[in-house]
Amino acid sequence: MKAIICRELGPPEKLVFDEVKEAPMGPGEVRIAVKGAGVNFPDTLIIQGKYQMKAAPPFTPGAEVAGTVLAVGEKVKHVKVGDPVAAIVPVGGYAEQVVASGDSVMPLPPGMDLVAAAGFPLAYGTTLHALKQRGQLKAGETLLVLGAAGGVGLSAVQVGKLMGARVIAAASSPEKLALCKQQGADEVIDYSKESLKEAVKKLTRSQGADVIYDPVGGELAQDCLSAINWNGRYLVIGFAAGTIPEIATNRLLLKGASAVGVFWGAFVAREPKASLENFQQLFGWVASGQLKPYVSKTYPMREAGQALRDMQDRKVTGKIVLVN
């Protein structure tokens, strides 16, 4: 089969598209014909050896896929050959086929588009866990989303609205903010042109946001802590800006606020029942038409390096997907 291969750690340009042997399949595993593979910011890190989970070259990057079941191990009972599914894998998604642990394979609701499904599990799984279990977001509260036009950011805008929040979307250009409004944001802030802190205070009558969803990190983190409400929750999602911020804990003290880490992968491993319930809720929203995953662009699988470069350079909005 054909796959993207990282033969040496480095930038996306070092990736190659070549023939590889099919992986063997165990009794608790499922072989999937990959229709689409989601492209995620951690993929740009793992190929450089900068992610918390390390992979030794040669390996195929890619952590989420959607497609149809080709074969099922004897211990797997919840899917059968031909079923449309999505799956999470440690690595290996950027390929024509992938073998996934049966526990990570999710049957898709009827009619769900496979390309949209390929970009669904990581972003929406992370977001619902963040807002529900970690942020305890309640209807009527104000949710501030940073990097709101990115894959996880846009999912937070959508899910936050479904949970009944007033959503303030913050991003770095008018085009990105227009997309956020289109996807349901109530208010928008262009933090390339105005102070995030002052804009949030103005929009909340100096109260601040109840929950802050931050996949960006960097310098904006300090503004977040100045723009948080009493008893607010600052959710640490990731560090797309490239730098890990040092949090001024005195601001947490003065606001009675909390800084809360969100590590979705560990949540799935440690609390599989709660994770399954989250996905049942997410797929229910999809099936009812309340949630429509947004894929801004697709790339042929062989152009994975370009897709990762575009993501690294922040040239994309929403979710991007590699397709076979």
Side-chain angles (χ1 to χ4, degrees), residues 39 113 115-116 119 124 149-152 154 158 175-176 179 182-183 292-299 307 310-311 314-323:
V39 180
D113 178 72
V115 174
Y124 290 88
V152 290
L154 209 57
Q158 294 174 314
E175 294 78 16
K176 291 178 178 180
L179 174 61
Q182 178 189 327
Q183 295 298 319
K292 296 180 180 179
Y294 177 77
V295 175
S296 62
K297 187 175 181 179
T298 61
Y299 298 72
D310 288 349
M311 171 167 280
R314 299 192 188 184
K315 293 181 178 179
V316 297
T317 55
K319 193 76 181 190
I320 57 175
V321 174
L322 303 174
V323 295

Side-chain angles (χ1 to χ4, degrees), residues 1-5 7 16-20:
M1 67 174 185
K2 288 286 187 70
I4 294 293
I5 308 168
R7 292 198 170 118
V16 296
F17 187 57
D18 206 349
E19 293 278 348
V20 297

Side-chain angles (χ1 to χ4, degrees), residues 24-41:
M25 189 186 75
E29 295 179 318
V30 176
R31 188 182 303 280
I32 300 167
V34 176
K35 172 61 177 177
V39 180
N40 297 285
F41 186 73

Side-chain angles (χ1 to χ4, degrees), residues 220-237:
L220 289 174
Q222 301 305 330
D223 276 358
C224 287
L225 297 186
S226 297
I228 199 166
N229 199 0
W230 175 253
N231 280 338
R233 289 82 77 197
Y234 170 66
L235 303 178
V236 181
I237 310 297

